Each structure stands twice: as structure tokens, then as C-alpha cells.
Amino acid sequence: MTRVGKYHLALIGAAALILLLSLVRIMSGQDDLTSSGTFNAALLLAVPIGLAGLGGLWAERAGVVNIGLEGMMVLGTWFAGWAGYQWGPMAALLAGLLGGALGGLIHAVATVTFGVDHIISGVAINLLGPGITRFLSEVLYGEGTSASAKGAGITTSPAISSSAPEVSLPVLSDGPDLLGKLESTHWFLLSDLAGILRGVTHDVNALVILAVLLLPVTYLVLWRTSFGLRLRSAGENPWAAESLGVNVYRIKYLAVVVSGAFAGLGGVFLVFVSNKYVEGQTQGRGFIGLAAMIFGNWRPGGLAAGSSLFGYASGLQLRSSGEVSAVTSFFLFGSLLLLIYIALQVRKLVAPGQPAEVVARGVKDYTVIAAAAAGAILLFWLWRTVETLPSEFVYITPHVLTLLVLLVASQHLRMPKADGVRFRRGDQH
């Protein structure tokens, strides 16, 4: 399939999902499914995950597994909070980037220079991040310090004087709120499109715009420049890259430091949203960002889809806090998706002129179709019978959804061939 064909397929898939969401909204009566508030919250919740995922993308495309993204985000949040209350938001931004980059540098020294197992080093970073920040908080924010007089404590920094500004996209969100009026009509598809557009264009944090722009910038750098080709070659076959004159060590160091900086930027975003550093505010977003990157097949576009999925599920969970039944609409949504999957599989099996291997696989395919049909019936039954869900289940819905999508997507993933492989200059491979 050509690149243009893939883009067309992605657009068709996005349009089909919006159409399906609109249909589910009409059938369930849950307007929050496509409301502007839900999508605005989804955008805010997806950004730190997407930034952490971008960090993982840079490191793993260079052949370094980075499960230390969570620890690097923690470092970014603390340094952003510490610098922000003293010198303002720009200092918070720079300090958060440097804090995350410091975590990346430690990971690079351990894995690239000393050849430490990448997983072990990443776990160490995840342990070091919270430990270092707690120690620094006790030293700088403890009782008797100048910061404690401003409301700081060992688990929180003083408030930042100002945060990143919010902007609205001209025409769509400025002037008369035409999208808001169209959304309030609750018409099929039209009001859903209006709600989605209003949610992602009205009162958007400036850091959100920066994060969104970093996705195409990453694509252009890694897939459209000679530097990006060298970096990706280090992740596919570093020995071949070395034989062609690529400084693999330098490439890996740079990629992992940039990876930490992106994770730190995700931490800065969290500090700006809450207006201060709070211990534990990352809440595992570094790990979810890593999962989103894997879901996206180590590509920026797929990463954006993965982080958006988790952000949407989290946003719907927050918007449904007073009306838990909105989350039960996922049962109906999943049932319809399975029905579409069944229709596509049946069409493939009954199409004339199938290759011999497809015909031979028929029994297995029919078994999968039967299982999908059973799942569709079960989900539809749950949607019809379950009025509300326990709050604990609502809370873990985004995590469960992410795991299920990863489970399905993992059948078609291909990681860089030398990802996690220990490289030594001059070794025969």
C-alpha cells in the first residue's frame, strides 16, 4: 500500500469512528460522548502521555529501550515547580526540560557507555526520580525554609505566579459561538462534529499547541533528514551504521537525552495545569506513554492515536463522575466495533479467488469470528442491563481500554530490530 493510500485509509477510519460515536450517542442518549467539554479534557489528558511517548519514540528508534520515562517525568515536574515559583513560567519550562534531560543522560551513561541492561537502568531511573525529588523537597521546602512560608511542603512546591496562556483558533472559536450553538442542537453527526471541533479549538493551552506541533516535527526530523536516517539505522543495525561512518555512541546519547527532555516537558505540562509541583502527580503517565508508543508501532501518527485514545477515555471518565452510566456506552461502542470486524472478516473469507493459504486458515478464522460474535452479544447485553458501574471500575476504564487495544494491536507491531541490544564498537555481529 502506498503512503498516500495509508493516509486515505487513516482518514476513512477516523471518519468511521466519528460516525460510530455519533450513532452510539443517539442510541445511548449520552451527550458527553462527543461534547466539547469531553474533548477539551481529552486533549489536556493526552498531551503529557503523548510527550512521554515521543520521548520513548526517540530513544527506541535509536535502539535504547526507555522504560524510565516515568522517573524522567517526575524530575521534570519537580524542577519545573522549583524554578517556576521563583522565576516564572519560562524558567519552569527550561528547568523541566533540563530535569528530564538529566534523567535521560543518566540512562544513556548506564546503557550506552557501561552496557547496563536497558530494563534494569530504566527501573533504576523510575526509583531514583521520586527519591531524588523527595530529598530535594525536604531540603528546600521543609519547615523553616523560605519556600515553606509561601505554602510549600515536602510534597508540594509554592504556586507558580502565572501559567501558559490559553488561545482559541480564529474563525472556529472566536466571535459568535457558532460551534457551541450547533453542538447544543444534538443533531446526528453535525452536533458531534461541532462538539469535537469546539473542544479542540476553544481555550487551548499554548503548551498543547506546542506538543501537537512536535509530532510532525519529529516525523520530519526522523524520517525526512539524513540525521534521522542515521538515528534510525542505529536502532536497526548499529554495526552496519558504524561501518558507514555513523558515530553510533553519539547518536544514542543524543536520542536518549532528547527522550528525557520530552518526558520532562510532559512533566512541565502537568505543573502548569495544577499551577505547582505536587508529589505523585505523574500517576503513571510515563508508562502509559510507553504503551501508546508501542500501540503506535514506534511512529508519531500511531503514537498520537494511542495517546488520544487514552486521553478520551480519561476525559469521559472525568466528565461522567456525576453520571456513571456514560461510561457504559463503551459496551455498546465495543459491540458495534466487533460487528464491523465480523463483517470485514466474513467478506474476506467469502471473496472469490482467495489464495490457498487463506482458504486453509478458514477453520481458525471462523473460530475467531465466533468468539467475536459472542463478545459482541455479551457487550450488547451488558449495555442493556447495566445501569451504573462501581466508581472503582470507572476509574480503571482508561487503563483497561488501553490494555485491550494494545492486546489487539500487538499482532501487527514491529519494533526496531536492535532495540535493547547492547552495542560495542568494533564487535562482530
Side-chain angles (χ1 to χ4, degrees):
M1 184 181 294
T2 64
R3 190 176 302 278
V4 174
K6 289 181 179 179
Y7 289 152
H8 287 169
L9 189 62
L11 290 174
I12 292 171
L17 283 176
I18 294 173
L19 182 64
L20 189 61
L21 269 179
S22 181
L23 179 62
V24 171
R25 179 186 65 81
I26 293 294
M27 294 177 65
S28 65
Q30 298 296 334
D31 294 329
D32 273 336
L33 284 173
T34 56
S35 69
S36 57
T38 296
F39 276 86
N40 191 269
L43 197 60
L44 289 175
L45 293 163
V47 164
I49 294 169
L51 288 170
L54 269 181
L57 176 68
W58 274 75
E60 300 211 8
R61 276 294 176 180
V64 179
V65 175
N66 188 1
I67 67 167
L69 294 167
E70 178 75 7
M72 297 172 195
M73 283 189 78
V74 171
L75 291 171
T77 58
W78 191 90
F79 281 101
W82 170 73
Y85 89 88
Q86 298 182 91
W87 302 297
M90 283 304 299
L93 178 63
L94 293 175
L97 284 170
L98 290 175
L102 176 62
L105 180 61
I106 295 172
H107 189 49
V109 170
T111 56
V112 180
T113 300
F114 293 104
V116 175
D117 182 271
H118 298 192
I119 303 299
I120 294 175
S121 176
V123 170
I125 296 294
N126 290 331
L127 295 174
L128 278 173
I132 291 173
T133 54
R134 168 54 78 96
F135 170 76
L136 292 174
S137 292
E138 290 180 348
V139 172
L140 298 176
Y141 299 153
E143 291 185 12
T145 62
S146 59
S148 65
K150 300 178 182 179
I154 59 174
T155 60
T156 181
S157 71
I160 298 176
S161 56
S162 61
S163 187
E166 293 183 345
V167 297
S168 295
L169 193 66
V171 180
L172 288 179
S173 295
D174 287 350
D177 192 4
L178 299 179
L179 290 177
K181 293 178 181 178
L182 184 57
E183 179 188 359
S184 63
T185 62
H186 304 303
W187 292 340
F188 175 72
L189 193 57
L190 287 178
S191 64
D192 302 291
L193 287 171
I196 294 171
L197 286 174
R198 187 173 186 272
V200 299
T201 60
H202 186 72
D203 292 339
V204 179
N205 191 290
L207 265 184
V208 171
I209 299 174
L210 173 62
V212 171
L213 290 176
L214 286 174
L215 288 166
V217 168
T218 292
Y219 171 76
L220 291 173
V221 171
L222 295 187
W223 274 270
R224 287 291 182 268
T225 65
S226 57
F227 166 76
L229 179 62
R230 291 194 294 270
L231 187 146
R232 288 184 292 116
S233 68
E236 294 291 339
N237 192 330
W239 294 274
E242 180 192 35
S243 69
L244 295 175
V246 176
N247 190 330
V248 175
Y249 283 144
R250 184 170 61 189
I251 286 287
K252 287 179 178 287
Y253 257 90
L254 182 59
V256 180
V257 170
V258 170
S259 171
F262 275 128
L265 184 59
V268 173
F269 183 82
L270 294 175
V271 169
F272 280 0
V273 169
S274 60
N275 212 37
K276 61 181 178 180
Y277 160 77
V278 179
E279 187 176 78
Q281 68 190 137
T282 57
Q283 295 184 336
R285 288 180 173 87
F287 298 113
I288 299 298
L290 190 65
M293 179 209 66
I294 296 171
F295 163 78
N297 203 17
W298 289 265
R299 286 182 171 272
L303 163 64
S307 55
S308 298
L309 172 67
F310 188 87
Y312 174 74
S314 300
L316 185 62
Q317 169 215 322
L318 291 177
R319 296 282 297 179
S320 304
S321 58
E323 188 179 356
V324 178
S325 58
V327 181
T328 63
S329 301
F330 275 128
F331 293 140
L332 178 59
F333 186 73
S335 178
L336 294 176
L337 278 180
L338 285 175
L339 288 176
I340 294 172
Y341 172 78
I342 291 168
L344 293 174
Q345 292 300 311
V346 170
R347 179 176 176 272
K348 185 191 300 183
L349 286 173
V350 301
Q354 291 286 0
E357 59 269 17
V358 174
V359 177
R361 234 177 33 236
V363 175
K364 180 181 177 181
D365 288 338
Y366 283 122
T367 304
V368 173
I369 290 172
I377 294 171
L378 175 63
L379 289 174
F380 185 79
W381 176 79
L382 287 172
W383 171 67
R384 292 292 297 172
T385 57
V386 176
E387 292 292 334
T388 59
L389 292 173
S391 58
E392 295 82 4
F393 187 86
V394 175
Y395 179 76
I396 67 170
T397 297
H399 305 273
V400 173
L401 182 64
T402 302
L403 289 174
L404 290 175
V405 170
L406 279 175
L407 187 64
V408 174
S410 63
Q411 308 300 318
H412 308 285
L413 301 178
R414 193 196 77 81
M415 65 189 296
K417 290 182 179 179
D419 195 13
V421 175
R422 182 173 178 268
F423 170 76
R424 280 291 171 266
R425 181 177 291 143
D427 283 356
Q428 299 297 320
H429 186 75

